[in-house]
């Protein structure tokens, strides 16, 4: 639904608006409640000074990523992402299949470095099993190298299409390891790749 939001609170970076609706659904034979949340800001994007990124991209390059062009989509997306980063942002790329390897060490995304970064992205190849634990662990460890930079946003971007099939595959162990690094100040964003990725 395209519902216009009320004006923002101009004293705040962002204002959260909530709408609740009650309607009757004949097929359910009962009333249903719907809720919509919206955010807006009184500040223009130009007024908001973004913190630099300490970004570690962790990419699944296991054999299944060759199916349905999944790795092709990942390569294309990462190359497009480079355009949204600048010389103050630091990027690291970790690829994992049966084991994890650092393909690009911490590198500032300067104009001179973008060519090398894109070559590394386009050079990613598939093969092996899916060692999620090792990939995440290596990604977090690389992010920790820049954790003393209090101005930066520290984040792991984790891309995968499947279930853990190599190394430590215990879900609780993977979650506990991730939570430890999250508590140290490293955020995580996970992206499922393909139309049939293993959601859990």
């Amino acid at each position: 639904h395209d519902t216009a939001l009320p004006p923002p609170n101009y004293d705040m970076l962002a204002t959260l608006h909530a709408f609740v609706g009650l309607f009757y659904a004949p097929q359910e034979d009962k009333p249903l409640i719907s809720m919509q949340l919206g955010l807006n800001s009184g500040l223009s994007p130009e007024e908001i000074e973004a913190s630099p990124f300490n970004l570690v991209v962790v990419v699944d390059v296991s054999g299944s990523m060759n199916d349905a062009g999944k790795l092709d989509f990942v390569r294309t997306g990462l190359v497009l992402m480079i355009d949204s980063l600048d010389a103050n942002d630091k990027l690291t790329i970790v690829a994992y299949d049966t084991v994890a390897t650092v393909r690009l060490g911490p590198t500032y995304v300067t104009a001179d470095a973008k060519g090398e970064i894109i070559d590394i992205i386009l050079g990613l190849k598939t093969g092996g099993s899916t060692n999620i634990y090792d990939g995440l662990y290596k990604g977090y460890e690389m992010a920790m190298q820049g954790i003393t930079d209090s101005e930066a946003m520290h984040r792991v971007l984790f891309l995968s299409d499947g279930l853990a099939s190599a190394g430590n595959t215990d879900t609780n162990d993977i979650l506990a390891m991730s939570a430890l690094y999250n508590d140290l100040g490293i955020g995580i964003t996970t992206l499922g790749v393909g139309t049939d990725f293993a959601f859990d």
Side-chain angles (χ1 to χ4, degrees):
H1 298 284
D2 185 12
T3 305
L5 298 177
N9 181 337
Y10 288 90
D11 295 329
M12 300 176 65
L13 174 62
T15 306
L16 175 66
H17 305 278
F19 306 89
V20 177
L22 179 66
F23 63 97
Y24 182 76
Q27 69 275 16
E28 300 286 339
D29 194 31
K30 62 182 179 182
L32 297 176
I33 296 173
S34 66
M35 183 171 72
Q36 176 183 336
L37 298 176
L39 284 169
N40 60 4
S41 175
L43 298 176
S44 69
E46 293 77 21
E47 295 178 69
I48 302 170
E49 185 176 341
S51 299
F53 268 117
N54 171 27
L55 178 64
V56 180
V57 177
V58 179
V59 184
D60 182 351
V61 292
S62 62
S64 62
M65 288 290 287
N66 194 46
D67 300 339
K70 287 180 275 193
L71 188 59
D72 291 333
F73 285 114
V74 168
R75 290 190 200 102
T76 300
L78 292 179
V79 169
L80 290 172
M81 181 194 74
I82 298 302
D83 288 336
S84 67
L85 301 175
D86 61 36
N88 294 319
D89 297 318
K90 193 183 296 181
L91 177 66
T92 304
I93 298 174
V94 173
Y96 70 97
D97 44 43
T98 308
V99 296
T101 57
V102 177
R103 302 296 176 88
L104 175 73
T107 303
Y108 284 102
V109 187
T110 61
D112 291 340
K114 285 185 178 182
E116 176 195 354
I117 295 170
I118 290 171
D119 286 345
I120 289 170
I121 292 169
L122 296 179
L124 294 172
K125 306 293 183 192
T126 59
S129 302
T130 309
N131 192 336
I132 286 178
Y133 190 101
D134 199 37
L136 267 182
Y137 176 77
K138 181 74 74 175
Y140 280 127
E141 283 294 291
M142 295 306 296
M144 283 297 294
Q145 292 184 15
I147 198 69
T148 56
D149 183 353
S150 60
E151 299 297 317
M153 291 187 291
H154 308 281
R155 181 156 294 272
V156 168
L157 174 60
F158 177 79
L159 301 102
S160 181
D161 72 333
L163 296 170
S165 61
N168 186 342
T169 61
D170 186 275
T171 300
N172 290 329
D173 287 349
I174 295 169
L175 291 173
M177 179 267 294
S178 182
L180 173 66
Y181 286 99
N182 300 154
D183 289 344
L184 293 173
I186 302 172
I188 183 168
T189 299
T190 61
L191 292 176
V193 181
T195 59
D196 59 347
F197 68 89
F199 182 81
D200 291 342

